[in-house]
Amino acid sequence: MSEYDSHHVQVTDSFLEPVSTFTDDGPDIIKVSARSRSTAVAGAIAGVMRQHNIAEVQAIGAGAVNQAVKALAIARGYLERDEIDIVTTPYFTEVDIDGQERTAVRFRVEPRPS
Amino acid sequence: MSEYDSHHVQVTDSFLEPVSTFTDDGPDIIKVSARSRSTAVAGAIAGVMRQHNIAEVQAIGAGAVNQAVKALAIARGYLERDEIDIVTTPYFTEVDIDGQERTAVRFRVEPRPS
């Protein structure tokens, strides 16, 4: 199991439902740490985009945000062959880490509307 | 002059031309450092978006990328009153800093197509 995998939470419930709309809880959140490999995260983003057509990436702290952004730039290249161009919307969200409230940055990833 | 202003390069040439399409060189690039205040950068992003309907943000290094992302999230709030929602596309670009080639992260900022 790679270091990245240990941060990748699979919300398995979402796989039990048909993914035909964006109105359900959506696919799993891709959690990125400062030590995540950006190419591995990029692969995860590309995979989720191919499957769900939407992805959520979460990062806490400058190092993690940087890895997430690099991964998003790399994922664009991975998705070129699928003719999917992506755009992202960053927003803040409060998350509970070991009982402490932390501000995370989330990136909603969507296909660029054509 | 605030610390942020010292990093804000105005590409004045672009102001000599009418900004009616996205095919020219576009508006000035908003350069962000690790020490930039994210609210000041957010204000610059919002201002450029209101005027040009497109913006480019550049950051080099994890601290700068983090400030840029925070600024993008904050700018969304600033632009709500203008009924502009923004999406961004991060990509890498090579820049020359004092004769040294560095990899910068650029964020192309656009309105979310409705």
Side-chain angles (χ1 to χ4, degrees), chain A residues 65-66 76 88-89 110 112, chain B residues 66 76 88-89 110 112:
Chain A
V65 167
N66 188 47
R76 290 186 67 220
T88 184
T89 309
E110 299 164 278
R112 175 188 297 278
Chain B
N66 188 47
R76 289 186 67 220
T88 185
T89 310
E110 298 163 279
R112 175 188 296 278

Side-chain angles (χ1 to χ4, degrees), chain A residues 2-9 29-33 35-36:
Chain A
S2 79
E3 191 272 331
Y4 167 68
D5 289 333
S6 66
H7 293 278
H8 187 185
V9 174
I29 295 166
I30 298 165
K31 296 191 178 177
V32 181
S33 86
R35 298 173 307 281
S36 300

Side-chain angles (χ1 to χ4, degrees), chain A residues 23-69:
Chain A
T23 56
D24 65 8
D25 283 348
D28 40 319
I29 295 166
I30 298 165
K31 296 191 178 177
V32 181
S33 86
R35 298 173 307 281
S36 300
R37 280 188 303 121
S38 50
T39 50
V41 179
I45 293 168
V48 172
M49 284 305 296
R50 286 186 197 107
Q51 194 178 358
H52 296 276
N53 216 35
I54 193 160
E56 290 272 341
V57 179
Q58 178 173 301
I60 299 172
V65 167
N66 188 47
Q67 291 310 96
V69 167

Side-chain angles (χ1 to χ4, degrees), chain A residues 7 22 27 43-44 46 49 54 56 65 70 73 89 91-93 103 105:
Chain A
H7 293 278
F22 293 176
M49 284 305 296
I54 193 160
E56 290 272 341
V65 167
K70 282 159 57 181
T89 309
Y91 62 97
F92 298 114
T93 188
T103 300
V105 174

Side-chain angles (χ1 to χ4, degrees), chain A residues 61-63 65-66 69-74 76 85-92 105 107-108 110 112-113, chain B residues 61-63 65-66 69-74 76 85-92 105 107-108 110 112-113:
Chain A
V65 167
N66 188 47
V69 167
K70 282 159 57 181
L72 287 162
I74 295 165
R76 290 186 67 220
D85 192 13
I86 54 175
V87 295
T88 184
T89 309
Y91 62 97
F92 298 114
V105 174
F107 300 84
R108 167 184 280 256
E110 299 164 278
R112 175 188 297 278
Chain B
V65 167
N66 188 47
V69 167
K70 282 158 59 182
L72 287 161
I74 294 164
R76 289 186 67 220
D85 193 14
I86 54 174
V87 294
T88 185
T89 310
Y91 63 98
F92 298 114
V105 175
F107 301 84
R108 165 186 282 256
E110 298 163 279
R112 175 188 296 278

